[in-house]
Amino acid sequence: MKKRVCALTIASTAMVAIAMPSTPVAGADSLRDFYDAPVPTLAAAAPGEVMRTKPVTSPKGFGLGFDIERILYRSTDTRDDPMVVSGYSMTPTAPWPGPGPRPVIAYAPGTSGMADRCAGSAVLGTVGSSPAILPLLLAGYRVVATDYQGLGTPGGHTYLNRLASGRALLDAARTADDDAPVVLFGYSEGGFAAGAAAELAATYAPDLDVVGAYVGAPPADPTLNIENLDNTTLGSAVLFAVDGMINSYPERAESIRSFFDSDGVAALDAAEDWCTTDPAATETVHTSELTRDGRPLIEQLSNPVFAEVAEENTVGRIAPAMPVYLSHAVEDDTVPVEQSRTLLERWQELGAQVTYREYEFPVIPYKGANHLPGALAAYSDILPWIAGLVRSS
């Protein structure tokens, strides 16, 4: 379910900005009520319709000139039922200098954890994700971010679920200007979501003007990431991934949990309450010590219970209808570069228009530290690429 692995995309420069007041919807008097209060009109709402808003006030008020507000909006879950998803919107107060409406970046955050307090729109999450989107805001774009299903809002987080993540990102884009060009943007878990949304956009959100998608270091194929994280201090991501399966497919929950012994079930339950910044989430995980038969999780993936879920949540089976920029750091020790190489091959075979870039850096001798550099390096390529897309839209 989540991966401290993805706390990655969050670091670039400074911090966030000052929040200018907006009009919150009645009934959202407290932050917890904002997320938890029932939405009686959900069933009748259209995908992307905003159900509730609440302004965000920067704790220090740096005065960088952005309006910031939390949003609660309608999306669609894996069973095609309506669901509420939280997120946030950041808009520069300065007028957009270009022609047409201000472009929208639909931002998919990296992994922050499974607990509601880890959500990108929560206090902790906002502080963490703000530096990552600051270059986009300074370029004049409006950024609308999703928290994904079950982060912030009631229910478990459906970590790395292709349909839930992709739809949540597309519906976040729908909360913005209907006529604005949209660029999907994400790294790590966010790269997975951006890739899923790029594949789903033509059928799920044909009304959106999606002009491109940046897909950074995506864990696109679940079968390619388990072994790399097992037996390491990033092993909490493996627990997040299993919890994501359970939360996404409750009808399969008992079958999935049956592979784990009492210690394994306890670890899965505990991980539901972790943020990637919690000490417990940084402890080494050995899945061979958590399964009933003593085999590591990677050896269990051939079982139909896991194989079917992995197949359903692999990105790379549909060609995106828009240009895609895919990038990865060669020495990434959290999401192996083979993920992007495999995704590139699959998309190209389907006829997708993909620009691909790999970055090389000296290896940092600390597990997980080689994931972030790829996110930072990409900005020098991605920002001009996005500018070209919105100019020609």
Side-chain angles (χ1 to χ4, degrees), residues 35-355:
Y35 294 104
D36 292 347
V39 181
T41 59
L42 178 64
E49 184 173 340
V50 177
M51 304 281 94
R52 191 175 293 149
T53 66
K54 188 176 183 66
V56 176
T57 301
S58 170
K60 295 187 181 296
F62 293 112
L64 297 182
F66 311 128
D67 287 337
I68 313 172
E69 66 178 2
R70 295 180 177 89
I71 55 175
L72 193 75
Y73 62 95
R74 192 267 204 202
S75 191
T76 309
D77 67 15
T78 56
R79 292 168 185 72
D80 298 324
D81 293 327
M83 65 176 178
V84 290
V85 177
S86 57
Y88 61 92
S89 172
M90 291 190 178
T91 308
T93 56
W96 167 244
R102 186 189 302 273
V104 172
I105 305 295
Y107 179 73
T111 300
S112 59
M114 298 299 293
D116 287 341
R117 59 190 166 88
C118 320
S121 66
V123 175
L124 174 63
T126 303
V127 170
S129 61
S130 295
I133 64 175
L134 187 56
L136 302 168
L137 293 167
L138 294 177
Y141 306 128
R142 178 179 181 182
V143 176
V144 182
T146 182
D147 287 342
Y148 306 119
Q149 180 180 7
L151 267 184
T153 51
H157 177 33
T158 53
Y159 183 64
L160 296 182
N161 181 274
R162 187 177 66 88
L163 286 180
S165 299
R167 289 170 172 178
L169 185 59
L170 291 168
D171 285 325
R174 278 172 160 151
T175 67
D177 190 327
D178 291 338
D179 299 323
V182 173
V183 176
L184 309 172
F185 191 107
Y187 190 86
S188 200
E189 180 189 3
F192 171 88
E199 293 188 344
L200 298 172
T203 53
Y204 181 74
D207 51 299
L208 287 176
D209 181 19
V210 182
V211 298
Y214 167 57
V215 179
D221 188 330
T223 64
L224 300 179
N225 222 50
I226 300 295
E227 190 171 18
N228 177 63
L229 299 173
D230 202 353
N231 306 309
T232 76
T233 54
L234 300 180
S236 59
V238 179
L239 301 178
F240 294 159
V242 176
D243 281 336
M245 296 178 185
I246 292 171
N247 293 336
S248 299
Y249 307 99
E251 72 280 3
R252 304 180 187 181
E254 288 308 312
S255 296
I256 294 172
R257 291 166 72 91
S258 69
F259 284 85
F260 297 86
D261 60 19
S262 58
D263 289 339
V265 171
L268 291 173
D269 290 344
E272 291 277 9
D273 295 321
W274 293 346
C275 291
T276 55
T277 53
D278 294 343
T282 66
E283 295 180 0
T284 300
V285 172
H286 304 281
T287 60
S288 60
E289 298 177 356
L290 303 177
T291 59
R292 288 184 179 277
D293 62 9
R295 292 187 301 148
L297 185 59
I298 188 65
E299 295 182 16
Q300 315 277 357
L301 295 184
S302 59
N303 187 287
V305 173
F306 288 110
E308 292 174 8
V309 171
E311 176 66 22
E312 291 175 18
N313 292 288
T314 295
V315 175
R317 309 301 193 203
I318 303 170
M322 74 294 295
V324 174
Y325 200 109
L326 175 66
S327 72
H328 214 121
V330 174
E331 302 298 336
D332 192 328
D333 58 353
T334 300
V335 180
V337 68
E338 285 72 18
Q339 286 276 10
S340 284
R341 292 173 179 173
T342 300
L343 179 59
L344 173 66
E345 181 179 342
R346 288 171 175 172
W347 271 346
Q348 287 182 330
E349 288 177 351
L350 294 168
Q353 180 183 341
V354 184
T355 300

